[in-house]
Amino acid sequence: MTIVMPKVTIGRLLDGTNIDWSYKSTLDCRFLLLSQQKAQKEALKKLLAQETNETTSLFTIQPEKIECDTKGELLDLLEFENAPAAAHEDEQVLRFIEQRIFIVNQFARVLAECTQVEKDVFFKEGSYRPHVEGPLNYFIRNIEEVENEEVKSRLNEEVENLKQVEWYNINSFERLTYSYGSNGTSETLLHFIKAIWTFWATVQVLQEPRDLILLVEVEQDWYETLSDTDKSVVKDLLKILLDVTHDFTVTLVVVTESLHLSVELGIRYKLYGKGSYIVFIEESDRDDFLTETLLSDWTDNEESLKGLLYDEGDNQRYIGEFLE
């Protein structure tokens, strides 16, 4: 029996041939769009939204505000994080434990920065008990040590909000969206962490087989304001999501203007649109990669939808019109 994977048409070559993407294939389910063209970003979102159905859900993490007040039904992170995180020999379980601890640690670290809590209060050595509690419970207990009542109240409020993280169901085809906004560098990163944390945890507790599509838009202006440490955290969080696509039926799409992710994330399909920033040792290498035809079109056409699709798996490049 031949299993035919669903495909979506993402563009046309210069000779008119359609370019299709098998977005549910385990080999092809990772996609990176590097473009400053809003039209291409919106077209990709619409294309993925059209693929949602009774067994497929679309999740979007974006910087733009959401005009919606209908909250989506996702898991309670406090309940999820209540279970112990003791050592285990199974490789997949070990990876889950490591990722879980990393996400919780980064949430606590950034929350401490946002509230100016002293590090030695929030991160007490030797007081974590992995055999009886999850890593989040360790930080919750330490909140009681905070002397400033106003800060303690803010910390407790942030913890309480983890019961229902602010994902919103913006229409009828189960497109759940989280807006991480732009309320300052640390605050924005805190929201970004919560969004990825919730999705990651949701995948871990799926009771029935379900195809999930996650589109993560990383705002370039915000990303460039981050410290080197926080930039690494963003990359590591995206790598955790990439890891999820190997273990579950998850399609991951990362959208940004010019993030230095094209090599580090190891995403097979990369679509370079107008405004893509690619680092090469020599400028001539960049010109050879993108081709004179494409660069000329980008220069002459302000709203150009021409781009280069690079298939890293087969080391092939395709130039055409994408995501019209």
Side-chain angles (χ1 to χ4, degrees):
M1 181 180 71
T2 302
I3 299 176
V4 179
M5 287 292 179
K7 297 179 179 181
V8 292
T9 300
I10 60 174
R12 293 191 311 275
L13 298 180
L14 298 181
D15 65 5
T17 304
N18 282 347
I19 300 178
D20 296 330
W21 173 37
S22 301
Y23 66 95
K24 287 188 180 182
S25 165
T26 55
L27 294 177
D28 303 341
C29 64
R30 293 161 285 277
F31 191 93
L32 174 63
L33 170 62
L34 289 142
S35 176
Q36 66 178 195
Q37 297 291 47
K38 185 176 181 180
Q40 287 184 318
K41 300 174 188 177
E42 292 305 313
L44 182 56
K45 289 181 182 180
K46 183 178 180 180
L47 195 64
L48 294 173
Q50 291 171 347
E51 296 303 306
T52 59
N53 51 48
E54 293 180 356
T55 60
T56 302
S57 295
L58 172 63
F59 294 76
T60 304
I61 297 173
Q62 64 183 44
E64 293 88 4
K65 291 183 179 180
I66 303 168
E67 300 298 330
C68 176
D69 57 6
T70 305
K71 282 195 174 184
E73 294 295 326
L74 286 179
L75 82 171
D76 179 339
L77 274 178
L78 287 183
E79 181 179 347
F80 174 82
E81 291 294 345
N82 195 44
H88 200 283
E89 293 183 359
D90 182 83
E91 183 179 345
Q92 186 172 338
V93 176
L94 281 173
R95 194 163 63 246
F96 161 79
I97 292 171
E98 290 172 358
Q99 292 173 351
R100 178 190 188 191
I101 292 174
F102 174 80
I103 295 172
V104 171
N105 281 348
Q106 295 310 316
F107 170 78
R109 179 185 67 83
V110 176
L111 180 56
E113 290 178 1
C114 291
T115 55
Q116 298 183 329
V117 173
E118 293 293 333
K119 186 176 180 180
D120 58 353
V121 172
F122 222 22
F123 292 81
K124 289 186 175 182
E125 293 186 8
S127 64
Y128 175 43
R129 303 169 298 177
H131 59 292
V132 297
E133 63 182 349
L136 181 64
N137 286 12
Y138 155 68
F139 293 109
I140 293 175
R141 284 192 289 108
N142 290 343
I143 290 176
E144 294 306 313
E145 303 296 323
V146 176
E147 296 181 358
N148 185 307
E149 291 300 323
E150 184 176 345
V151 172
K152 183 186 291 186
S153 176
R154 162 75 192 280
L155 293 171
N156 283 323
E157 181 181 354
E158 287 289 348
V159 170
E160 185 68 18
N161 288 341
L162 295 178
K163 289 184 177 180
Q164 189 176 25
V165 180
E166 294 181 341
W167 286 81
Y168 289 89
N169 194 344
I170 65 174
N171 51 34
S172 60
F173 49 70
E174 290 199 71
R175 175 174 162 185
L176 290 166
T177 302
Y178 189 102
S179 171
Y180 60 89
S182 55
N183 299 321
T185 301
S186 295
E187 294 283 353
T188 304
L189 181 57
L190 188 69
H191 281 287
F192 189 81
I193 291 170
K194 285 199 292 184
I196 290 182
W197 186 7
T198 318
F199 178 84
W200 173 83
T202 297
V203 172
Q204 307 297 327
V205 298
L206 284 177
Q207 298 297 315
E208 299 177 2
R210 191 170 183 84
D211 296 324
L212 306 179
I213 304 172
L214 173 64
L215 185 146
V216 183
E217 185 174 349
V218 181
E219 186 179 53
Q220 178 66 14
D221 290 343
W222 163 66
Y223 178 80
E224 290 300 335
T225 66
L226 298 175
S227 66
D228 288 343
T229 296
D230 288 342
K231 285 179 180 177
S232 293
V233 169
V234 170
K235 292 175 184 177
D236 287 340
L237 289 170
L238 293 175
K239 288 176 182 177
I240 285 175
L241 293 177
L242 280 167
D243 194 54
V244 167
T245 67
H246 293 285
D247 296 330
F248 301 92
T249 52
V250 174
T251 299
L252 175 65
V253 178
V254 179
V255 177
T256 188
E257 289 182 20
S258 56
L259 197 57
H260 300 81
L261 292 176
S262 79
V263 175
E264 294 182 47
L265 288 184
I267 294 177
R268 177 172 180 174
Y269 292 105
K270 304 173 181 66
L271 176 55
Y272 297 97
K274 181 178 170 62
S276 301
Y277 179 68
I278 317 169
V279 179
F280 289 99
I281 296 175
E282 300 289 343
E283 187 70 20
S284 59
D285 294 336
R286 175 180 181 272
D287 295 347
D288 289 342
F289 180 81
L290 291 173
T291 77
E292 183 179 344
T293 300
L294 187 56
L295 290 170
S296 296
D297 187 81
W298 285 356
T299 301
D300 298 338
N301 185 355
E302 185 176 342
E303 298 182 356
S304 173
L305 296 181
K306 278 191 171 63
L308 183 148
L309 178 66
Y310 179 47
D311 179 351
E312 193 170 85
D314 293 334
N315 193 26
Q316 296 291 322
R317 292 178 295 165
Y318 306 92
I319 294 178
E321 296 273 349
F322 291 92
L323 299 168
E324 297 179 85

